[in-house]
Amino acid sequence: LVGKYVELKDSYKSISEAVSRRYTRVLNENLERPDLILIDGGKGQVSSAYSVLQALGLDIPLAGLAKREELIYLPGFDKPVDLPEGNPALRVLQYVRDETHRFATNYNKTLRKSRLSLSSLESVPGIGEKRSLKLNKSFGSLQGIYDQSLENIASTAGINIEVAETLKAYLSEKLK
């Protein structure tokens, strides 16, 4: 989990905000609670997450895995757990952490690509933010929009055929 509103430079606040957002939602929507929360970080990040869980009245097991030393931090313990390299339990935690990073990285790439597509469409005269969102949602990508007929683009976006032609010409150049 990454903080949505807190600058990423402050990992403690970012962890607190993300845990607060997620587990407030779990409580409000009566969602299933996890068996374990794994935090990417050490003692400070675990402490931040634990404080939020306590404030919410949640008793969910929590652990932190500090990447550099691969030490496991648990709330309420001064010293981390130092499992030997190759230990099956450590390998499971490392795998979960690494998969989470992979998923988050791919998700962020998808979001950035989508934002680029939207801002790209908005540079076409007659296509603003709302029309850009509508087109992207309806057709899924710049290529998906380009593959549509002029009539379909015009009716979906609520624009005239001339603007649809301009958009198609723009996309033709962009997609080369």
Side-chain angles (χ1 to χ4, degrees), residues 38-40 65-68 70 90-106:
L38 180 62
I39 299 295
D40 183 15
L65 183 60
K67 190 167 189 150
R68 197 173 310 137
E70 301 291 25
L90 178 61
R91 289 179 52 193
V92 167
L93 294 176
Q94 290 169 327
Y95 177 79
V96 169
R97 182 208 44 223
D98 295 345
E99 274 302 296
T100 302
H101 280 182
R102 187 189 61 75
F103 178 83
T105 300
N106 288 337

Side-chain angles (χ1 to χ4, degrees), residues 8-157:
L8 295 179
K9 293 176 185 173
D10 188 340
S11 66
Y12 302 146
K13 285 183 182 175
S14 188
I15 290 283
S16 292
E17 185 218 308
V19 171
S20 176
R21 238 182 326 114
R22 173 66 184 146
Y23 291 97
T24 297
R25 184 170 173 232
V26 165
L27 286 171
N28 290 342
E29 297 178 21
N30 201 29
L31 300 174
E32 186 175 351
R33 296 174 189 179
D35 295 324
L36 172 70
I37 298 172
L38 180 62
I39 299 295
D40 183 15
K43 187 174 184 173
Q45 288 84 0
V46 168
S47 179
S48 295
Y50 185 68
S51 294
V52 171
L53 293 174
Q54 282 187 312
L56 293 172
L58 290 170
D59 186 25
I60 301 172
L62 173 70
L65 183 60
K67 190 167 189 150
R68 197 173 310 137
E69 302 90 14
E70 301 291 25
L71 298 173
I72 302 164
Y73 289 85
L74 303 168
F77 291 86
D78 289 333
K79 294 186 178 188
V81 177
D82 187 4
L83 296 176
E85 188 177 328
N87 178 285
L90 178 61
R91 289 179 52 193
V92 167
L93 294 176
Q94 290 169 327
Y95 177 79
V96 169
R97 182 208 44 223
D98 295 345
E99 274 302 296
T100 302
H101 280 182
R102 187 189 61 75
F103 178 83
T105 300
N106 288 337
Y107 180 70
N108 283 323
K109 283 180 186 176
T110 301
L111 287 179
R112 280 194 305 276
K113 185 177 176 185
S114 177
R115 277 189 230 114
L116 285 174
S117 295
L118 292 174
S119 62
S120 178
L121 288 178
E122 292 170 22
S123 66
V124 176
I127 305 293
E129 183 180 353
K130 288 182 182 178
R131 287 183 172 138
S132 177
L133 283 167
K134 195 174 212 178
L135 287 165
N136 214 29
K137 186 175 181 181
S138 296
F139 306 121
S141 66
L142 295 180
Q143 185 67 52
I145 297 166
Y146 181 77
D147 292 341
Q148 303 300 311
S149 68
L150 291 173
E151 293 77 16
N152 199 13
I153 292 170
S155 66
T156 299

